[in-house]
Amino acid sequence: RRPLTAEEAHKVLVSCLEEVERLNQVVQGLLELSRADSGQVTLLREEVRYSTMVENVCDDVMILADKKRIELHYDIQPGILVMADKIHIQQALLNIIENAVKYTREGGDVHVGLEYVDGKAVLTVSDTGIGIPENELPFIFDRFYQVDKARSKEVYGTGLGLAIVKWIVDAHDGEIEVISELGKGTTFIVRLVAQQR
């Protein structure tokens, strides 16, 4: 309704671009889950150097952690191998570890651990973040479910990330559990059948 300055026009365009990116994330997540539901996703399982993959994902997420002045520690037992679809399992790892950083306040800590226990690779991702209320824990893997209050205000999410993670872990005959205490932090534990060399 009125002429915009170059600076105002730039802000509007940046805001539009951010919204398009968010919508794109929602659409991509829905497409992936829809394909999975209809059996259109074929997992290409191969031997994956899981220890190396976890370490690489941690290194990638370190950039986000540094921006928020969050200490990201990792303790990864070497030589752990899993039979997995490399792309999907990496997607699940990235989502869980990135979420831990996103939902931890500035100056907090995130710890990633990987060990071989009784034929399984046990991944533990713990944060000192805002936590999840106990009554909401049963729903966090539901599509479009987002924990309210501070979580949704501080970080934008589509509500599909953990649903996708759960599908990927289930598709690999794995297990995922979450332990959380409001105001103190959250721990995700993922177990996959593994070997060690």
Side-chain angles (χ1 to χ4, degrees):
R1 294 182 181 181
R2 64 176 177 80
L4 297 175
T5 66
E7 186 179 337
E8 289 171 329
H10 182 264
K11 283 182 182 176
V12 169
L13 289 172
V14 167
S15 177
C16 288
L17 188 60
E18 287 172 355
E19 288 306 311
V20 168
E21 181 56 36
R22 288 173 184 170
L23 282 171
N24 185 49
Q25 288 174 10
V26 171
V27 170
Q28 291 301 322
L30 282 173
L31 278 172
E32 180 142 19
L33 288 169
S34 178
R35 287 190 196 112
D37 287 346
S38 61
Q40 293 179 31
V41 178
T42 304
L43 295 180
L44 303 172
R45 293 192 188 223
E46 59 183 302
E47 189 174 86
V48 173
R49 296 179 181 278
Y50 196 49
S51 298
T52 304
M53 182 182 279
V54 173
E55 189 170 338
N56 289 342
V57 169
C58 287
D59 288 341
D60 290 343
V61 176
M62 197 75 77
I63 297 165
L64 177 63
D66 287 346
K67 281 183 183 175
K68 290 183 71 179
R69 293 188 295 126
I70 289 170
E71 290 289 330
L72 174 56
H73 313 274
Y74 54 85
D75 181 13
I76 297 166
Q77 191 174 334
I80 299 175
L81 308 171
V82 295
M83 289 299 293
D85 183 297
K86 191 179 281 188
I87 291 171
H88 284 96
I89 212 71
Q90 184 168 357
Q91 181 183 3
L93 286 173
L94 183 61
N95 192 297
I96 293 170
I97 298 170
E98 201 173 64
N99 273 0
V101 173
K102 282 181 181 176
Y103 294 114
T104 296
R105 291 186 186 96
E106 206 170 282
D109 291 283
V110 171
H111 186 272
V112 178
L114 179 67
E115 59 182 334
Y116 182 78
V117 181
D118 298 329
K120 292 191 177 178
V122 181
L123 175 78
T124 307
V125 180
S126 300
D127 64 54
T128 57
I130 54 184
I132 303 166
E134 188 176 350
N135 64 319
E136 301 202 46
L137 283 173
F139 309 107
I140 64 167
F141 296 111
D142 292 354
R143 295 171 195 189
F144 293 113
Y145 190 83
Q146 292 181 293
V147 178
D148 291 329
K149 308 169 191 73
R151 264 186 171 255
S152 57
K153 287 177 188 169
E154 291 176 14
V155 182
Y156 174 82
T158 63
L160 293 172
L162 287 178
I164 291 170
V165 168
K166 179 80 164 72
W167 166 72
I168 292 170
V169 172
D170 288 349
H172 284 84
D173 304 311
E175 304 161 2
I176 185 167
E177 70 174 293
V178 59
I179 303 160
S180 190
E181 191 172 344
L182 194 59
K184 295 197 174 177
T186 302
T187 298
F188 279 87
I189 303 164
V190 177
R191 297 179 183 86
L192 298 174
V193 175
Q195 299 175 21
Q196 187 179 33
R197 285 191 203 147

